[in-house]
């Protein structure tokens, strides 16, 4: 397991003609685990996180916290945190470059240290990824913000209540603000917040720590406390991992049952799959069966903030629609550059054209295996499932992207009948 996490030059060989059948256990959510791990800084008491997936991003977050002096013990999917001693209040360039979600440390560090020094995150393959909304919130909350030498220097000048409205809906921006305000013992309001299940899971944790948070539509009313307590929390299942396997099942004409899901988090994905002709049976609130042998019907998809169709499922559906009976349209409304996987899919024979943030996908009869490169973690998963149905072999390179966001993805696929081999680069 450790070798999987540490090697960055491995690649996968995927053989076409695989049909996914059987049962798969979905792991805990990466995007819930990251903010919840960092929220442990808000208290000096110990906390325990259960079902945290064993991923590169989690490893990076653990290192980020250990660099601040926090003691952390990880046993499989259980992480115990003792944040009693903080020796420094910074998220280094190395931490932030490896994982931009390190910016989530700004809120908790300001609470614990009264200041935070966090490297400016770079862009990434899916877009510039600015954090202006995060900084605008902190300035409105009495924090001095200065950017110099590639670092953001934040200093808390006063503890005030705020009534802040985000100009755009931002997941980690909302999470940073919620963590910060949970420690202010005055009533504050946040408007136009993100409502992703991962944000709601963080809110559950902040409530366990002692904050009083009410949600009304896209408004949060927060009454914080200065003496927040530790917590024990089992993170929610990863809805994007679940969605990825659901697409893989229908794409390969298979039949899989997913365990450890929360079906209410998957509504937009289930609707899109059913519209494309898949059969999706809700066997219970935590178990879903997906099967169907097509023909795959074309779709018109627009990515939106939750509960809309998730941008993190866009690449996976593009693979599915590459083999649909007709022409599909995907509009990417969240990120300005999240079509990097289009060129890779065209190498496999897909017929896709891109105009601005809109992709037109003309279904083809089949894809052919090729050597392809991962560009972001969801695109890498999409290329792997494309390889399951392509004729011949597909080599998926740079799968450290995959290991950032999917726990044992190749092993889980192999258990479902896929022919997937992980090899170290020569
Ligand atoms: C979170 O990223 C997720 N990451 C992303 O998942 C996910 O794709 C994204 O939300 C959208 O759902 C984590 O939760 C760790 P945003 P985040 O702030 O918070 C713009 C994955 O695959 N924006 O909601 O960084 C931004 O550029 C990753 O697991 C500003 O302009 O996304 C984007 O266009 C990829 N200013 C849009 O808003 C800001 O201050 C949404 O970004 C903040 C964001």
């Amino acid at each position: 397991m450790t070798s999987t996490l540490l090697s960055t030059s491995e690649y996968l060989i995927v053989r076409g003609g695989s049909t996914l059948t059987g049962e798969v256990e979905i792991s805990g959510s990466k995007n819930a685990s990251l903010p919840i791990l960092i929220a442990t800084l808000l208290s000096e008491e110990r906390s325990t996180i259960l079902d945290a997936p064993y991923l590169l991003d989690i490893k990076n977050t653990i290192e980020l916290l250990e660099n601040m002096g926090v003691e952390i013990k990880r046993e499989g999917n259980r992480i115990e945190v003792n944040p009693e001693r903080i020796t420094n209040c910074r998220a280094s360039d190395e931490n932030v470059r490896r994982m931009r979600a390190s910016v989530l440390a700004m809120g908790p560090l300001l609470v614990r240290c009264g200041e935070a020094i966090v490297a400016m995150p770079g862009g990434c393959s899916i877009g510039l990824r600015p954090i202006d909304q995060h900084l605008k919130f902190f300035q409105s909350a009495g924090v001095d913000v200065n950017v110099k030498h590639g670092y953001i220097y934040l200093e808390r000048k006063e503890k005030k209540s705020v009534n802040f409205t985000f100009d755009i809906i931002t997941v980690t921006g909302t999470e940073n603000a919620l963590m910060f305000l949970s420690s202010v013992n005055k009533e504050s309001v946040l408007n136009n917040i993100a409502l992703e299940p991962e944000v709601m899971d963080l809110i559950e944790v902040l409530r366990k720590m002692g904050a009083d948070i009410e949600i009304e539509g896209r408004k949060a009313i927060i009454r914080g406390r200065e003496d927040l307590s530790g917590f024990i929390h089992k993170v929610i299942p990863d809805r994007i991992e679940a969605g990825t396997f659901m697409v893989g099942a229908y794409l390969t004409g298979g039949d899989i049952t997913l365990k450890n899901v929360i079906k209410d988090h998957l509504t937009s994905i289930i609707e899109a799959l059913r519209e494309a002709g898949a059969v999706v049976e809700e066997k219970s609130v935590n178990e879903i069966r997906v099967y169907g042998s097509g023909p795959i019907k074309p779709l018109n998809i627009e990515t939106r903030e939750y509960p809309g169709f998730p941008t993190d499922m866009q690449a996976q559906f593009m693979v599915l629609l590459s083999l649909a009976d007709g022409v599909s349209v995907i509009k990417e409304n969240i990120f300005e550059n999240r079509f990097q996987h289009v060129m890779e899919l065209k190498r496999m024979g897909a017929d896709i054209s891109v105009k601005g943030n809109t992709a037109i996908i003309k279904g083809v009869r089949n894809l052919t295996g090729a050597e392809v490169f991962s560009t972001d973690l969801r695109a890498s998963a999409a290329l792997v499932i494309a390889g399951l149905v392509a004729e011949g072999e597909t080599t998926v390179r740079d799968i450290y992207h995959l290991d950032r966001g999917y726990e044992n993805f190749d092993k889980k696929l192999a258990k479902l009948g896929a022919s997937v081999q992980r090899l170290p680069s020569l």
Side-chain angles (χ1 to χ4, degrees), residues 308-341:
F309 184 91
T311 174
D312 292 348
M313 283 300 303
Q314 182 252 103
Q316 300 89 317
F317 268 81
M318 190 177 282
V319 172
L320 182 70
L321 298 173
S322 299
L323 292 169
D325 256 6
V327 180
S328 302
V329 179
I330 295 183
K331 196 155 178 277
E332 172 54 63
N333 292 310
I334 304 295
F335 289 107
E336 72 273 20
N337 186 34
R338 201 169 196 173
F339 284 143
Q340 302 274 306
H341 42 282

Side-chain angles (χ1 to χ4, degrees), residues 39-65:
T40 59
L41 291 175
L42 293 168
S43 167
E44 293 184 10
E45 294 177 6
R46 294 163 185 265
S47 291
T48 302
I49 296 156
L50 305 170
D51 252 12
Y54 194 90
L55 300 171
L56 266 183
D57 273 7
I58 300 287
K59 182 177 166 295
N60 290 333
T61 307
I62 288 174
E63 278 175 21
L64 170 76
L65 294 174

Side-chain angles (χ1 to χ4, degrees), residues 30-31 34 100-101 126 129-134 168-172 196 311-312 334-336 338 377-378:
K30 165 179 92 76
N31 289 350
L34 301 183
R100 49 174 303 100
I126 62 178
R129 311 291 294 274
I131 56 166
D132 56 298
Q133 297 295 309
H134 299 237
I168 58 166
I169 296 169
T170 156
V171 172
T172 46
E196 271 66 2
T311 174
D312 292 348
I334 304 295
F335 289 107
E336 72 273 20
R338 201 169 196 173
L377 64 110
R378 307 305 170 183

Side-chain angles (χ1 to χ4, degrees), residues 105-161:
M106 287 193 286
L109 284 177
L110 278 165
V111 168
R112 279 299 288 276
C113 315
E115 63 171 15
I117 302 169
V118 176
M120 259 315 244
C124 72
S125 65
I126 62 178
L128 289 172
R129 311 291 294 274
I131 56 166
D132 56 298
Q133 297 295 309
H134 299 237
L135 303 182
K136 198 175 165 191
F137 161 75
F138 285 123
Q139 284 168 322
S140 79
V143 174
D144 260 6
V145 176
N146 288 295
V147 178
K148 53 182 187 251
H149 311 303
Y151 273 77
I152 311 162
Y153 293 81
L154 302 109
E155 195 183 345
R156 184 180 210 174
K157 290 297 186 194
E158 52 177 310
K159 294 190 180 182
K160 57 191 272 198
S161 72

Side-chain angles (χ1 to χ4, degrees), residues 228-278:
L228 292 168
S229 59
F231 60 88
I232 295 181
H233 188 75
K234 178 174 180 289
V235 299
I236 54 172
D238 195 309
R239 62 193 167 99
I240 304 301
E241 183 196 14
T244 306
F245 278 104
M246 292 163 74
V247 169
Y250 184 43
L251 179 70
T252 60
D255 182 343
I256 71 168
T257 295
L258 297 94
K259 292 178 165 304
N260 190 39
V261 297
I262 297 179
K263 71 176 174 59
D264 293 350
H265 294 169
L266 297 164
T267 308
S268 60
I269 298 169
I270 293 171
E271 274 167 13
L273 273 174
R274 283 177 172 154
E275 199 187 327

